[in-house]
Amino acid sequence: MIYTLTLTLAQRPEVLERVLRVVRHRGFKVTGMNMQLEDSKTASLDMSVESERAVELLTNQLEKLIDVIHCQALTLEPVKADKVAS
Amino acid sequence: MKQGQMMRGADAVIKVLAAHGVTNIFGYPGGAIMPIYDALYGAPVEHLLSRHEQGAAFAAVGYARASGKTGVCFATSGPGATNLVTSLADALLDSVPLVAITGQVSTAVIGTDAFQEIDVLGLSLSCTKHSFMVTEMDELIPTLYKAFEVAASGRPGPVLVDIPKDIQIGMLEYKTPLQERISEPEVDGEKIDAALSLLKQAKQPMLYVGGGVGMASAVDQLREFIDATGVPSVATLKGLGSIANDSPGYLGMLGMHGSKAANIAVQECDLLIVVGARFDDRVTGRLASFAEHAKVIHLDIDAAELGKLRLPDVAIAGDLRQILPALCTPIEIAPWQDEVAQLKREHCWSYDRPGELIFAPAMLNRLADKLPDDSVVCCDVGQHQMWVAQHMWFRKPEDHLSSAGLGTMGFGLPAAIGAKVSRPDATVVAVSGDGSFMMNVQELTTIKRRKLPVKILLIDNQKLGMVKQWQQLFFEERYSETDLSDNPDFVTMASAFDIPGRTITTTDEVEAALDHLVNCEGPYLLHVRIDDAHNVWPLVPPGASNRDMMEEMDKST
């Protein structure tokens, strides 16, 4: 399944590493991402991830990160990976 | 605290620790943390010098787990910090509040592969709850305050603060920061009603209690819940001590080396009430068949544990001290209570063994009975750890320190040192195996230095016993690298650290030797040789259902 996530992050030098580490370790593959610095304190991150696991297993872990201010899975109904590819 | 005083960053570190009530620090100095050690010199905080940073951090873990306070450890950059990693991982998996402070090379040379430079922040990402590197003077004090808040709030865990040397020697104005409290989730009343409804419908409920109860200081609320409902109970390795040992319907530990009664009762229950536990694989056996006919109520402070491995029927994230009292309701389950009592009688432990050789489970059972009310038992990892969990009993969870999640050999001795520092009046016993003991044996020097009266019970089968057991059962008796018959003479070794001791080998020596171990003044090592044919029973084989436990098949030599 492909899921789309949108996150608001505290602007720390290591915050992207933190998020990506959790994504990998919890069994998800990044298929696309875009990060923008918002203001002096926050950054926004849009990310597509792929996994056979339920997206809540990832979002629950991301929400625990101190520097993740907001985390939402936009794709509520998961889309089959092959449909996205075609 | 005097506001506005100018001081070095290093002095501010020590002041922040004092402001958090820190009285004991465990650590090891080195180049990049020298300013902090300089600030420590003469400060009214006690530092215990370990002989390896892993030992320092495990002592801080033992200190925290035995007392409920946040443990603090120091290490220098590079190898000092890398040596902390195992202990941080241990604290992460067992949710132990810990603040680790590491020195770092100066900000100007970070990223140049300077002497003793390693990317500690990068290293910390997978083994801490959170971590910081301080790069601005004005961030130092607020960062340290936040570290203490993060470590102890919600589901506790280790927090690392990496402080470059120039930040330690730079000057700042000491100001107490405004503290941001991390809010806890509010308990949802509708979910409480849903849980009460399931509880009232249940005919065969079981309570599955984990380490979260002790860490939430919810032991009293848990016991009141048990008294009010009469629900029979089991505990995880970290949950031991939460439930009174003589509580009716308490069946001991469940899981891979749990009691048969505990595993059968959980498999047969129609409602599983999971309190501060997380469906660990060593608890569930084959997950798909774990309590497969049961509905599940899952209570935990960490919302990410709810539904992670088993979908609950009712899940409540929050403070167990609020949730458990709301669920106290009498329920009619007398036939089930009788059935559980019958299971307990049928599958009680047997300590009768023929022959003169010492049977470790029987010895540990006797030790539990001999320990005074205020006592702490620290374990290492392996067969002895499971025997302690099965055959000893504990008054509260803080009395049993065992590396549960990470399963770290070498935990026991330094954890016992930390426990003795935090609870100086308690009798502290480190129960170890001959494999584990050698993993942090350098900490005997720490005992010698402080003349700490830590008691060591070293159970020696001259094997890496748990691995040997699996080789015997699941690898066709191909004993690859598990023979430890070239162990040192442990009693002679202890005497080199001014720790007296003796070796016993036969059953008739056990009683007097245990009495001396518990009652003598000062540290002591009791070295106990046991039969290497004894394994840990019963056992759920890997991948099997908890219903399919292997029974004892030892042939004593």
Side-chain angles (χ1 to χ4, degrees):
Chain A
M1 305 293 181
I2 300 268
Y3 307 99
T4 305
L5 305 178
T6 180
L7 295 97
T8 306
L9 309 172
Q11 217 181 92
R12 302 282 308 177
E14 73 283 7
V15 69
L16 201 54
E17 284 173 74
R18 249 182 231 292
V19 169
L20 292 175
R21 193 203 72 77
V22 170
V23 171
R24 171 185 56 76
H25 179 224
R26 297 296 173 177
F28 292 75
K29 177 178 150 188
V30 178
T31 58
M33 59 183 276
N34 179 41
M35 195 188 90
Q36 293 287 331
L37 302 186
E38 291 292 312
D39 49 39
S40 64
K41 290 190 172 169
T42 62
S44 69
L45 174 64
D46 297 321
M47 185 189 284
S48 301
V49 296
E50 183 181 343
S51 178
E52 294 305 308
R53 297 184 181 181
V55 74
E56 292 78 15
L57 295 179
L58 177 58
T59 53
N60 284 345
Q61 297 296 338
L62 289 173
E63 282 166 0
K64 285 207 296 185
L65 293 176
I66 305 293
D67 290 336
V68 171
I69 298 163
H70 179 75
C71 170
Q72 193 178 6
L74 291 181
T75 312
L76 298 177
E77 293 294 323
V79 184
K80 283 275 184 193
D82 54 350
K83 286 193 178 173
V84 173
S86 65
Chain B
M1 183 73 57
K2 193 177 172 187
Q3 296 288 315
Q5 192 182 346
M6 294 300 291
M7 63 180 67
R8 293 180 301 173
D11 296 307
V13 171
I14 303 301
K15 268 196 179 286
V16 173
L17 298 184
H20 285 83
V22 174
T23 54
N24 297 88
I25 299 165
F26 304 87
Y28 202 100
I33 199 168
M34 283 183 70
I36 290 177
Y37 271 85
D38 183 65
L40 191 63
Y41 193 75
V45 54
E46 194 178 352
H47 178 274
L48 195 71
L49 180 72
S50 68
R51 289 305 178 96
H52 188 289
E53 290 84 354
Q54 186 185 114
F58 274 145
V61 167
Y63 178 93
R65 288 183 63 169
S67 66
K69 293 186 273 192
T70 297
V72 178
C73 61
F74 286 173
T76 193
S77 65
T82 57
N83 280 344
L84 288 183
V85 166
T86 299
S87 309
L88 293 172
D90 189 274
L92 181 70
L93 285 191
D94 281 346
S95 310
V96 181
L98 186 74
V99 172
I101 293 174
T102 47
Q104 180 58 280
V105 300
S106 290
T107 50
V109 294
I110 288 176
T112 66
D113 305 318
F115 177 63
Q116 292 193 327
E117 186 202 356
I118 195 78
D119 174 17
V120 174
L121 190 64
L123 279 174
S124 71
L125 297 181
S126 57
C127 62
T128 60
K129 180 178 175 185
H130 194 54
S131 50
F132 302 90
M133 184 167 71
V134 182
T135 53
E136 304 289 339
M137 289 305 299
D138 60 0
E139 285 177 6
L140 178 62
I141 295 171
T143 299
L144 289 165
Y145 267 79
K146 186 152 189 186
F148 276 92
E149 174 71 12
V150 170
S153 60
R155 179 178 180 171
V159 177
L160 181 136
V161 185
D162 198 31
I163 309 179
K165 201 167 181 180
D166 52 322
I167 302 291
Q168 297 173 46
I169 57 178
M171 299 299 285
L172 53 69
E173 185 182 356
Y174 194 95
K175 287 182 189 164
T176 304
L178 290 173
Q179 286 189 66
E180 283 179 46
R181 284 263 160 229
I182 297 171
S183 59
E184 308 284 357
E186 296 218 352
V187 177
D188 182 336
E190 283 185 18
K191 288 184 174 174
I192 294 284
D193 291 343
L196 280 169
S197 173
L198 282 185
L199 202 51
K200 284 171 184 163
Q201 289 165 26
K203 299 281 182 260
Q204 303 188 161
M206 282 301 294
L207 190 59
Y208 152 26
V209 171
V213 169
M215 286 183 301
S217 301
V219 168
D220 290 347
Q221 289 82 355
L222 179 84
R223 292 181 181 188
E224 283 159 18
F225 172 81
I226 292 171
D227 289 344
T229 58
V231 176
S233 53
V234 297
T236 68
L237 182 60
K238 271 194 74 194
L240 296 176
S242 304
I243 304 161
N245 193 50
D246 59 357
S247 174
Y250 175 51
L251 301 176
M253 187 169 74
L254 82 163
M256 180 174 273
H257 288 297
S259 76
K260 196 161 185 182
N263 281 337
I264 292 172
V266 168
Q267 288 307 107
E268 290 186 358
C269 75
D270 66 355
L271 176 66
L272 192 63
I273 306 151
V274 188
V275 188
R278 57 182 178 88
F279 293 92
D280 181 85
D281 57 88
R282 287 303 195 259
V283 160
T284 63
R286 192 198 310 136
L287 185 62
S289 55
F290 178 66
E292 56 194 327
H293 306 301
K295 293 194 170 180
V296 171
I297 299 173
H298 196 170
L299 316 176
D300 202 281
I301 188 70
D302 182 0
E305 291 300 342
L306 308 175
K308 186 180 84 174
L309 289 163
R310 169 81 175 249
L311 279 180
D313 295 273
V314 176
I316 310 178
D319 185 346
L320 297 175
R321 288 172 300 183
Q322 292 175 28
I323 300 170
L324 287 167
L327 297 178
C328 286
T329 183
I331 52 176
E332 294 297 326
I333 51 167
W336 172 238
Q337 288 169 325
D338 292 344
E339 204 176 316
V340 167
Q342 178 63 26
L343 275 174
K344 192 171 180 174
R345 282 192 295 274
E346 269 176 39
H347 300 289
C348 63
W349 300 114
S350 162
Y351 296 113
D352 295 330
R353 287 293 179 285
E356 289 187 343
L357 295 175
I358 294 169
F359 182 50
M363 176 182 66
L364 291 167
N365 187 249
R366 290 296 297 145
L367 174 63
D369 290 342
K370 289 175 186 292
L371 287 175
D373 285 355
D374 190 9
S375 57
V376 183
V377 173
C378 303
C379 282
D380 266 298
V381 169
Q383 290 181 313
H384 74 276
Q385 176 192 31
M386 291 297 104
W387 285 324
V388 165
Q390 292 174 327
H391 304 291
M392 296 190 75
W393 57 276
F394 305 97
R395 292 164 183 84
K396 50 185 193 289
E398 304 93 278
D399 295 353
H400 172 239
L401 312 189
S402 197
S403 173
L406 196 66
T408 319
M409 292 173 69
F411 173 86
L413 183 63
I417 289 169
K420 187 66 191 173
V421 170
S422 68
R423 285 169 59 184
D425 297 332
T427 298
V428 176
V429 184
V431 180
S432 191
D434 54 314
S436 290
F437 187 62
M438 294 298 287
M439 285 233 185
N440 268 319
V441 74
Q442 78 285 346
E443 297 309 319
L444 290 176
T445 322
T446 312
I447 291 176
K448 176 188 174 191
R449 169 180 284 250
R450 288 302 176 99
K451 297 184 174 57
L452 284 172
V454 169
K455 318 290 181 176
I456 301 161
L457 180 62
L458 177 52
I459 301 177
D460 178 6
N461 58 8
Q462 301 193 31
K463 292 285 183 295
L464 190 53
M466 189 59 96
V467 180
K468 184 225 74 175
Q469 176 168 345
W470 279 49
Q471 288 171 337
Q472 182 182 342
L473 297 174
F474 310 122
F475 289 86
E476 300 170 334
E477 301 188 37
R478 290 157 60 84
Y479 296 116
S480 179
E481 299 296 325
T482 48
D483 183 295
L484 303 182
S485 56
D486 52 358
N487 278 324
D489 179 333
F490 290 113
V491 172
T492 300
M493 185 170 69
S495 74
F497 295 93
D498 297 342
I499 299 171
R502 67 175 286 207
T503 299
I504 59 171
T505 55
T506 59
T507 302
D508 58 2
E509 298 173 285
V510 168
E511 282 292 311
L514 289 180
D515 285 335
H516 185 72
L517 176 77
V518 171
N519 298 314
C520 69
E521 289 191 8
Y524 192 80
L525 177 112
L526 179 60
H527 172 229
V528 183
R529 284 193 183 280
I530 63 163
D531 186 345
D532 67 4
H534 284 157
N535 285 328
V536 182
W537 304 106
L539 162 69
V540 179
S545 162
N546 278 0
R547 194 176 287 281
D548 302 321
M549 297 197 86
M550 293 170 73
E551 303 277 358
E552 177 162 348
M553 45 171 43
D554 290 342
K555 296 185 187 105
S556 294
T557 50

